[in-house]
Amino acid sequence: MIVFTSINTGYLDKALVLAESVKRWHPDASFHIVLADYKEGNQYICELVDHVEFLEEFEFGLDKAFLFQHNVVELCTLVKPIYAAKLASNHKDKHIVYLDPDTMLFSPMDIVVEAHGESDVLLTPHLLTPPSSHAHIVESEYSALQHGLYNLGFFSCVGGDNANLFFNWWGDRLKHICSTVKENGLFTDQKIVDIAPIYFNFIGILKSKSLNVATWNLFERPLVCENAQFLIENQPLVFYHFTGFDSGAGQRKIDQHHTKNQALEALWQHYHQQLRQQSTKVLGSTIWCFANFEDGQPIPNKARQYFRYCVENKHDFPNPFSTQFQTLWANSIGARLFELSEEQGRKYLKSISTFFHAHNLDLKGVVKQLQTLEERHSCERVFLWGYNEYAQQVESTLYAQSMQFEHAYVIDKNLPANDRVIDPMSFSFRTSDVIVVCAISAKNDILSQIKNQKIPAHVLSIG
């Protein structure tokens, strides 16, 4: 058996707790870590780990533009099916299990091995029985519909062609959509797998309450401890998923719904003790190598989203960790919106990300016209009428191609007025100004307004 997990360096202690529990119950198992970090600076020695797969081993491992788009959770989940496909291809007929780093085994996974007699790939649902209370319906059932029917903190396969087929399909999708845009039906690596059992008839669903126990399904899985063994409905607990351990979210759920369960309290205390013991064995760095810009400034998640959704010409930014993109982000209207209002900024990114997956429009013609106006007419200011994904792509192009315009300004009645968002009814335009109409659905109305107001500017339109 091969068991593997996927982490960044900050999760090494959890991965070692998992590794120790795997070796305890499956002494002959080989334990692998997929480390979403570079090898340099992360060499460490631990007898519990048989192999570490570093990011350099992946085809996109050196593609900084690709890596920048993903936060640590997205990158760690993205590599899971890709490494699983490699294992399935190289180890035919061998049992291969993935477990999230914040899981821990409490008894052997015999039930998983036995289930492979009928299915080459196995998944576990978040829930097995309908919740009855309104609180659990909202927190568990509705949540599963948003985040995915199956918890992919676990999956198992028998190496071979079928498993390889599934993992290649899953990994290929994640290279394009491993993000959290619930409005588009996306949640990192999980939501897309809802349809996998329809596509692949060799996928089985494990319905044992002893597997993948976590706060979201405790209402249907009462945990007890008898003779120093944790049980679920008189069956040994196989593994528990300690989701929300670091953030405190898991403990808050327990305090809210399971305060009288002493077995559950003992389980979490035991895990905490195991973490403290394993943390002394971690010799590598615990700082994710993609956490900061090259100047050491932390990269906000909104900057990653901006690059993913709003910068079409990514080839112009081969290294977004550098000051080139950092300057674009710092001076962008999107960053300005976040400075003025976190709520407004998040609203903008939400609308852009939803729009991004549904539309695609070639802006090369508009960019070429902008270059001509800059060169021949000494145009100095650009006004983007309608602040949407097209406007963001035009804005990023201005910076990437070093056009000699001032900051791009925005005309959009839905945005709060500031030094970059102007009101066309009261603003004094110049003949050297350029207006780019980005709001396609309102284009005719905007063009009529420009004509009626006799705005003395060059006018370009998208679409």
Side-chain angles (χ1 to χ4, degrees), residues 24-25 106 224-231 266-267 270:
R24 179 188 304 166
W25 297 107
F106 291 88
V224 299
C225 185
E226 296 180 1
N227 300 320
Q229 184 177 33
F230 294 106
L231 304 172
L267 182 82
H270 175 70

Side-chain angles (χ1 to χ4, degrees), residues 38 60 62-69 294 307 318-321:
Y38 289 143
F60 51 77
L62 300 177
D63 186 345
K64 292 187 176 181
F66 179 86
L67 296 171
F68 185 89
Q69 298 174 53
E294 288 181 350
F307 184 75
N319 180 15
F321 295 92

Side-chain angles (χ1 to χ4, degrees), residues 251-302:
Q251 187 62 54
R252 288 193 294 273
K253 291 287 186 185
I254 292 172
D255 292 343
Q256 184 179 1
H257 299 297
H258 309 281
T259 52
K260 298 180 180 180
N261 191 324
Q262 294 181 349
L264 195 56
E265 182 180 347
L267 182 82
W268 278 65
Q269 288 179 350
H270 175 70
Y271 185 66
H272 184 68
Q273 292 170 354
Q274 294 300 307
L275 281 178
R276 283 189 298 186
Q277 292 177 13
Q278 295 298 343
S279 63
T280 61
K281 299 180 182 179
V282 177
L283 304 180
S285 167
T286 57
I287 300 175
W288 189 40
C289 63
F290 305 115
N292 300 326
F293 286 108
E294 288 181 350
D295 67 356
Q297 292 295 315
I299 301 171
N301 198 43
K302 50 204 171 191

